[in-house]
Amino acid sequence: MTAAVPVVPVVSSEWTKFWSVRATWWTLIAGAALMAFYSAVSAISQRFDSEDPMGANTIALGGGFYLTQFAVIALATLFVTSEYAGGGIRSTLLWTPVRSRVVLAKAAVLLPVLFVYGVALSVSGMALAGVVKDGHGLPTSVAGALTTAFGMGGYFALLGLLCTGVGWALRSAAGTLVTVIVVLVPLPLIVASLGLPGWVPYFPGIAGVNAMVEPGQPNPITQSVAPYAPWVGLLICAIWTAVALVAGTAVLRRRDA
């Protein structure tokens, strides 16, 4: 009988749990503070040093990749692994025996929140950078600003779901954080050093940045032009996310809580 619990109450329950813990608010605030800090410092640098001119969207993009994404990783990881740490997962699965439904409910909560969060952070970072650099550096086109804003929203949403998939599989906050960070940052560098630079754009972190850059413009992290359109960058991230969620769901269904 409990297996017939509809989806909406499960999502509502996860929504309440998400917003009722302090870690959610602290990580969101920390991400906003990191974006403001990076945007302000980079814009000040643009104002007094024109050797590497950048637009406001490029500054916000760098803040999203170098700093703010780690707040997103922590937020999404804790959303899953804190239930294992506190033992709440047993109650969750008791009330929702269809385990894949719990995975979908948490994803349904994170997806819109992190998309809006990414768009809002990007817009605020660009606005702050534009004010502080006061006409120095490069101008930002409307198309460039929209690509960065929606690309960051999409990347953060998919990155969050990827973290939940890894979290369901590993059940450990430390293990999830290390695994995701390694895949995002050092692993592409290692692959490039092994003589396979053509693979680098297909890792989720680099693909996410490519999704924030206008077609034909260089990725500011790799300094190379993406071999695909921005929407393909999000598609690549979505594939990584789908694999992580399928693996995490399989582990959740097969192992005791």
Side-chain angles (χ1 to χ4, degrees):
M1 183 173 67
T2 51
V5 174
V7 174
V8 173
V10 181
V11 175
S12 177
S13 173
E14 294 299 333
W15 179 270
T16 301
K17 284 192 284 186
F18 180 74
W19 291 111
S20 60
V21 296
R22 291 182 180 178
T24 296
W25 296 98
W26 281 118
T27 49
L28 292 175
I29 292 171
L34 289 171
M35 175 61 82
F37 173 77
Y38 186 93
S39 299
V41 170
S42 296
I44 292 172
S45 175
Q46 289 291 300
R47 191 162 181 165
F48 296 102
D49 182 5
S50 60
E51 290 185 359
D52 184 21
M54 292 188 292
N57 61 325
T58 304
I59 291 174
L61 186 159
F65 180 78
Y66 286 121
L67 296 178
T68 311
Q69 68 172 344
F70 297 106
V72 172
I73 294 169
L75 174 67
T77 297
L78 290 175
F79 192 32
V80 171
T81 59
S82 63
E83 292 215 34
Y84 285 100
I89 188 65
R90 289 188 286 274
S91 299
T92 297
L93 298 181
L94 178 65
W95 288 104
T96 313
V98 182
R99 299 187 173 192
S100 59
R101 194 166 294 178
V102 179
V103 176
L104 292 176
K106 284 190 181 293
V109 170
L110 272 183
L111 189 69
V113 170
L114 291 180
F115 177 78
V116 172
Y117 185 62
V119 172
L121 279 190
S122 175
V123 172
S124 62
M126 286 188 282
L128 178 60
V131 170
V132 174
K133 71 190 187 75
D134 192 24
H136 294 78
L138 298 176
T140 300
S141 66
V142 173
L146 290 175
T147 302
T148 300
F150 287 103
M152 190 175 297
Y155 172 58
F156 279 5
L158 293 169
L159 175 61
L161 299 193
L162 187 152
C163 293
T164 63
V166 177
W168 288 119
L170 300 182
R171 306 182 176 197
S172 159
T176 302
L177 290 171
V178 170
T179 300
V180 173
I181 291 173
V182 166
V183 170
L184 291 180
V185 183
L187 191 57
L189 298 177
I190 294 172
V191 168
S193 68
L194 294 176
L196 300 170
W199 290 19
V200 172
Y202 299 95
F203 284 89
I206 303 303
V209 175
N210 285 335
M212 306 178 208
V213 180
E214 285 185 280
Q217 297 298 314
N219 180 319
I221 308 302
T222 62
Q223 300 299 323
S224 60
V225 177
Y228 45 72
W231 69 269
V232 178
L234 290 180
L235 178 61
I236 293 170
C237 292
I239 293 172
W240 280 85
T241 297
V243 171
L245 285 174
V246 169
T249 303
V251 172
L252 181 65
R253 295 177 65 179
R254 290 177 180 274
R255 294 178 59 185
D256 292 334

